[in-house]
Amino acid sequence: MKKLSLVFCTIGLILSCGTSSKGKTTSAQNETKVVDPADYASTITTEELKEMLYTYASDEFEGRETGEKGQKLAVEYLKEQYKAMGVDTPLGDDDYFQEVPLEKQSVSEAKISVNGKSFKSFEDHIVLRASENISVSPEEIVFVGYGIDADNYSDYKNIDVKGKIVLAKSGEPKDANGNYLTSGSDEDTKWTNGRQSLSSKRDAAINNGAIGLIYMDDNLFTRYAPYYQRQATAGTSGRLSLKSSDADFFMLMVSENLGKALHSEILEDETSKAIGSKLELSIQNKSEEIISENVVAYIKGSEKPEEIVVISAHLDHEGIKNGEVYNGADDDGSGTIAILEIAEAFKAAEKAGNGPKRSILFLHVTGEEKGLLGSRHYTDNDPIFPLENTVADLNIDMIGRTDPKRTEGDRNYIYLIGSDKLSTDLHNISEEVNAKYCNVELDYTYNDENDPNRFYYRSDHYNFAKNNIPVIFYFNGTHADYHKPTDTADKIEYDLLENRTKLVFHTAWEVANRPDRIVVDKIQEQ
């Protein structure tokens, strides 16, 4: 990191956010200094971003796979950077690590019989989740239709499933016009969209007190079962999940054949009811417990320290595959290093007596590539600061490259996702700050509710958004090197990375220092 004495220097890069042309003092009557955040933004430089990213995305860090040696090296690197800057940890002493308990799973196999008839692993059922050894012979299984629990449609309405196993089928009901009931649109939702439907229906079952979910999806089953069988034969899986506090919850995916054996009317009947089939089920859990880490650092607010502005990025990547290191320079080395530079800028302001009024939490989360695990642990299990005190999350995930699909417009752009979904205030601040300081082309292509990529749901900001915390997701789009060993530091466009980093800093500065907390004027549909 460069010496903070450079804080009042300005940088004349073509794409850099410029210094403000507004005066530095008010009238001579009060001689009050007007703080110009561009002075501190000038500490964010191409040279430092490049120097750090060449280290962070080097082969030495072995692709930073969650729970592995490279990820451990990465968190130590981040810790040392914060210590060198003098940026504190909210955990006290020298502890910059929030432990994230995970399970590394080997494929478990179940033994299942229905009314005395046995069904085979991988032909009729696979175990998606089993947090402990399970042996059950339930008196009652409850068929919950599609297993949806949304504000405007719920299969759990007036049904008690506490302590029971629920059986759900894939899909989502439509109205007479062919639109899904939960959204009013014919575009897939989180209840119908492949893997996301699994997690959505799992969460609905857990939230309603079920001890297990049997999910019938013949289409997904034919795709998942061969993969699980290969993993079982090899004796490994590598799948990671958060270690559940719901120790007795399990999840199975079953074929249509087994689903109909459990409930013969499952394909026709959309109502929720108890079924009479007698299920005998046993599962042996084969998971291995491991610990990963989120890295947390913060600057305490000078006037409203209890209010928290989060700046997040994921620290992990894909590791080593077939002997090749997946360096993840853009995904998400770019966001990780950007946060370090933003932290340095805020620290420079604090040293000059102009620290943020609200507290800033610099949050580097683990396990994003494994299913947003680190951010979900922070929001769902162990928020270091109360979520109700969290003002916003500015999440950075890939800001160092350009999207080859963008054939029109300035190369000095960024995709913004989510800025207007929960708070008009946040969206307006983002627009105004950009116009004043940075002049980045703000592209909202992927902010569309009907975006088939569903990027809004695919990075760590979503775990804040689902808790009605306003978010902005900064993203340059995918490219030919996305999730490949060719995503290396030499391909980063460092002038763009600098300018985008400054945009996030200026937005965070305004959110942290404005007199009133930004208003949440919309609610996130769960």
Side-chain angles (χ1 to χ4, degrees):
M1 307 295 285
K2 65 180 167 304
K3 295 187 184 302
L4 294 177
S5 59
L6 295 177
V7 66
F8 296 108
C9 295
T10 59
I11 298 172
L13 295 175
I14 292 174
L15 289 174
S16 291
C17 295
T19 55
S20 171
S21 61
K22 297 188 182 243
K24 298 293 176 65
T25 58
T26 62
S27 67
Q29 285 184 314
N30 54 32
E31 296 183 351
T32 301
K33 181 178 180 181
V34 174
V35 178
D36 187 351
D39 290 334
Y40 307 111
S42 69
T43 68
I44 299 168
T45 68
T46 295
E47 292 77 16
E48 285 199 345
L49 289 162
K50 187 173 185 178
E51 179 184 354
M52 288 190 292
L53 189 53
Y54 264 83
T55 298
Y56 194 75
S58 67
D59 286 354
E60 178 187 354
F61 285 69
E62 298 184 354
R64 310 186 302 277
E65 183 170 5
T66 302
E68 301 297 331
K69 174 187 172 184
Q71 182 252 301
K72 303 297 183 182
L73 292 173
V75 298
E76 289 293 340
Y77 176 84
L78 296 174
K79 172 183 175 179
E80 292 308 312
Q81 295 302 310
Y82 283 116
K83 290 178 66 176
M85 283 188 273
V87 176
D88 294 329
T89 166
L91 301 177
D93 298 326
D94 195 38
D95 187 4
Y96 287 78
F97 300 155
Q98 179 190 39
E99 290 192 347
V100 180
L102 301 172
E103 291 180 331
K104 186 179 230 179
Q105 300 174 349
S106 294
V107 175
S108 297
E109 294 187 46
K111 294 182 179 179
I112 298 178
S113 68
V114 180
N115 297 329
K117 179 182 178 180
S118 296
F119 291 83
K120 295 182 179 179
S121 289
F122 311 119
E123 291 184 17
D124 287 301
H125 55 82
I126 52 176
V127 179
L128 297 180
R129 169 174 170 172
S131 298
E132 60 178 18
N133 294 339
I134 295 168
S135 181
V136 294
S137 179
E139 295 298 322
E140 185 178 67
I141 304 169
V142 181
F143 175 50
V144 290
Y146 296 100
I148 294 170
D149 190 14
D151 290 341
N152 56 346
Y153 175 87
S154 178
D155 290 305
Y156 288 90
K157 186 176 181 180
N158 300 323
I159 301 229
D160 182 10
V161 300
K162 288 183 176 63
K164 300 175 184 177
I165 297 171
V166 295
L167 171 66
K169 62 181 178 179
S170 62
E172 176 179 355
K174 295 183 176 181
D175 62 21
N177 297 318
N179 295 320
Y180 291 119
L181 294 184
T182 62
S183 65
S185 167
D186 62 357
E187 299 288 338
D188 282 355
T189 74
K190 70 177 185 176
W191 302 105
T192 51
N193 190 48
R195 188 172 67 176
Q196 192 179 17
S197 69
L198 289 176
S199 59
S200 298
K201 294 184 180 186
R202 173 204 66 205
D203 291 346
I206 292 172
N207 292 339
N208 281 279
I211 63 170
L213 169 63
I214 301 174
Y215 182 57
M216 194 196 82
D217 187 329
D218 225 36
N219 181 47
L220 279 184
F221 185 82
T222 57
R223 291 163 48 195
Y224 276 45
Y227 171 78
Y228 274 63
Q229 187 168 26
R230 288 194 300 271
Q231 295 296 317
T233 301
T236 61
S237 168
R239 290 182 296 119
L240 287 179
S241 63
L242 282 177
K243 183 170 175 56
S244 175
S245 57
D246 306 289
D248 57 353
F249 188 84
F250 66 90
M251 185 173 179
L252 304 177
M253 185 187 292
V254 302
S255 66
E256 180 179 315
N257 183 41
L258 177 49
K260 291 182 72 172
L262 287 166
H263 183 30
S264 61
E265 299 176 341
I266 191 170
L267 297 183
E268 296 81 20
D269 190 350
E270 297 181 4
T271 60
S272 305
K273 63 172 71 173
I275 62 176
S277 299
K278 182 171 178 59
L279 170 69
E280 297 284 347
L281 168 67
S282 63
I283 304 173
Q284 183 178 4
N285 177 37
K286 298 180 180 180
S287 62
E288 171 192 355
E289 294 184 14
I290 65 172
I291 296 293
S292 189
E293 299 86 13
N294 292 334
V295 178
V296 290
Y298 94 129
I299 293 177
K300 186 176 182 180
S302 60
E303 295 183 14
K304 301 175 185 289
E306 74 285 353
E307 295 185 13
I308 311 298
V309 178
V310 178
I311 306 174
S312 62
H314 70 89
L315 60 88
D316 62 307
H317 194 55
E318 295 281 299
I320 299 175
K321 299 179 181 179
N322 300 318
E324 291 189 283
V325 178
Y326 284 60
N327 301 100
D330 193 24
D331 184 16
D332 186 27
S334 61
T336 301
I337 298 308
I339 291 185
L340 291 176
E341 284 285 82
I342 291 167
E344 183 185 35
F346 273 108
K347 186 64 181 179
E350 183 186 51
K351 285 191 171 185
N354 297 315
K357 294 178 181 178
R358 294 175 176 83
S359 296
I360 310 290
L361 176 66
F362 307 103
L363 175 63
H364 302 263
V365 292
T366 189
E368 189 270 355
E369 302 289 1
K370 308 299 183 183
L372 314 184
L373 301 181
S375 58
R376 181 150 60 92
H377 177 69
Y378 181 93
T379 59
D380 295 9
N381 299 336
D382 187 24
I384 293 171
F385 298 101
L387 296 185
E388 58 269 24
N389 291 354
T390 303
V391 175
D393 172 47
L394 306 181
N395 183 53
I396 315 169
D397 192 350
M398 299 173 62
I399 61 166
R401 297 279 295 272
T402 54
D403 183 351
K405 299 184 183 71
R406 263 183 59 95
T407 57
E408 298 180 3
D410 194 338
R411 67 181 284 270
N412 181 31
Y413 77 95
I414 194 69
Y415 293 123
L416 289 194
I417 303 173
S419 64
D420 63 348
K421 292 189 183 296
L422 295 170
S423 174
T424 303
D425 274 353
L426 182 58
H427 179 75
N428 290 341
I429 288 169
S430 172
E431 289 275 346
E432 291 164 5
V433 160
N434 180 58
K436 183 176 180 180
Y437 293 105
C438 297
N439 297 312
V440 177
E441 181 185 338
L442 304 181
D443 188 329
Y444 296 99
T445 296
Y446 295 122
N447 195 51
D448 189 333
E449 290 287 348
N450 298 318
D451 168 33
N453 299 284
R454 297 180 67 78
F455 287 127
Y456 178 63
Y457 303 95
R458 289 171 53 183
S459 191
D460 295 294
H461 61 279
Y462 182 69
N463 282 317
F464 289 89
K466 74 183 185 184
N467 287 287
N468 292 305
I469 296 168
V471 301
I472 300 178
F473 172 22
Y474 300 87
F475 177 54
N476 54 222
T478 58
H479 42 72
D481 302 306
Y482 175 64
H483 280 196
K484 292 182 179 178
T486 49
D487 181 9
T488 50
D490 59 299
K491 295 180 180 177
I492 297 296
E493 299 172 70
Y494 288 94
D495 57 342
L496 299 181
L497 177 55
E498 177 188 323
N499 207 35
R500 293 160 175 173
T501 302
K502 288 180 176 180
L503 173 62
V504 181
F505 166 76
H506 279 293
T507 305
W509 178 279
E510 180 61 26
V511 172
N513 287 295
R514 71 197 309 258
D516 299 319
R517 177 173 174 168
I518 61 173
V519 175
V520 178
D521 53 11
K522 303 172 188 177
I523 299 298
Q524 173 66 47
E525 180 187 349
Q526 295 297 313

